[in-house]
Amino acid sequence: MGTHTDAHIVWDWNGTLFHDVDAVIGATNAAFAELGLAPITLERYRELYCVPVPRFYERLMGRLPSQAEWEVMDAVFHRHYTEHRVRCGLADGVEDLLTGWVAAGRSQSILSMYGHEELVPLVEDFGIFSHFIRVDGRTGPSGGSKAEHMVRHLDALRGTVDPRRTVVIGDAADDALAALHVGAHAVLWTGGSHGRAGLEAAGVPVVDSLSEAVAEAERLAVSG
């Protein structure tokens, strides 16, 4: 794998590299229908979404779902998401950004809360797998925070990647929290699951395009 002494990006997948917001909204509304909840708009989703995901449902329902309700909604969400995701593609300009970052002699990886067994073939199908020195999806139950997964991700890259020169690029406040948890930087972009106001509350740079995110990542990583 070699030793990379320059900047490293840990990319989020869903809502960042993979533009799947339509699939997420469709699957979320299918899950809501199971409990008789009204459909949600993208704007409302971005306003309220948070992790752990049961807290997101609490904001809509006025109470936490029971364990049985959560299990039903989670299963319905993932079933419908799998059906809808086939119509989704990479975010605009992603392939050029990934290629350019590698060409500059820098490294990058993916850490996603999407299931690992589903993530890896999806990244391979888009023909971009070789751009990453590691691709990790979630193992274990869904709905939680990314922080502990980030610890394991960077532990696996120890000696190859310096957390102080690592920047997490994602679309959710939880990405920033995960970065802080391991001593890395974060840049959040507004094209995914959160609106700008919610992202700015995380206290990290917020941008409106992934090209801006990469430029900001370079600046942060160089500053250490």
Side-chain angles (χ1 to χ4, degrees):
M1 190 160 52
T3 300
H4 298 265
T5 58
D6 212 329
H8 179 80
I9 291 175
V10 178
W11 289 96
D12 174 54
W13 178 250
N14 302 94
T16 304
L17 293 178
F18 188 46
H19 187 62
D20 62 347
V21 65
D22 290 338
V24 168
I25 296 301
T28 297
N29 283 331
F32 287 175
E34 289 293 316
L35 296 187
L37 297 174
I40 190 172
T41 64
L42 173 59
E43 291 72 24
R44 185 70 170 157
Y45 181 91
R46 284 175 167 166
E47 177 186 351
L48 296 178
Y49 180 75
C50 64
V51 294
V53 178
R55 294 290 182 185
F56 170 50
Y57 292 146
E58 180 183 28
R59 292 180 174 186
L60 291 160
M61 300 167 62
R63 62 174 178 82
L64 276 171
S66 68
Q67 184 63 30
E69 288 172 330
W70 160 247
E71 291 174 359
V72 169
M73 296 172 79
D74 190 48
V76 171
F77 174 89
H78 284 97
R79 184 174 72 250
H80 282 268
Y81 176 82
T82 299
E83 295 172 0
H84 287 294
R85 80 173 191 202
V86 296
R87 295 188 291 274
C88 301
L90 297 176
D92 290 343
V94 159
E95 293 177 77
D96 288 341
L97 291 173
L98 297 178
T99 300
W101 189 259
V102 172
R106 294 162 176 162
S107 62
Q108 55 199 336
S109 58
I110 292 175
L111 176 62
S112 173
M113 294 300 283
Y114 193 44
H116 184 76
E117 298 303 318
E118 293 81 20
L119 173 67
V120 170
L122 189 54
V123 176
E124 290 175 336
D125 286 346
F126 280 112
I128 60 173
F129 196 89
S130 62
H131 293 313
F132 306 103
I133 62 173
R134 189 172 182 88
V135 175
D136 283 330
R138 170 186 49 80
T139 58
S142 63
S145 173
K146 185 178 277 189
E148 292 306 318
H149 295 271
M150 187 68 73
V151 171
R152 290 190 290 271
H153 185 72
L154 290 191
D155 277 351
L157 296 173
R158 185 174 298 174
T160 301
V161 168
D162 182 352
R164 295 169 299 178
R165 305 198 70 185
T166 295
V167 182
V168 177
I169 297 180
D171 68 318
D174 190 53
D175 291 302
L177 294 176
L180 179 65
H181 191 66
V182 295
H185 303 279
V187 179
L188 303 178
W189 91 297
T190 58
S193 62
H194 281 217
R196 174 173 281 276
L199 296 177
E200 288 178 340
V204 302
V206 177
V207 298
D208 295 318
S209 72
L210 290 181
S211 60
E212 292 177 86
V214 170
E216 188 67 15
E218 181 176 13
R219 184 189 70 80
L220 290 169
V222 169
S223 68

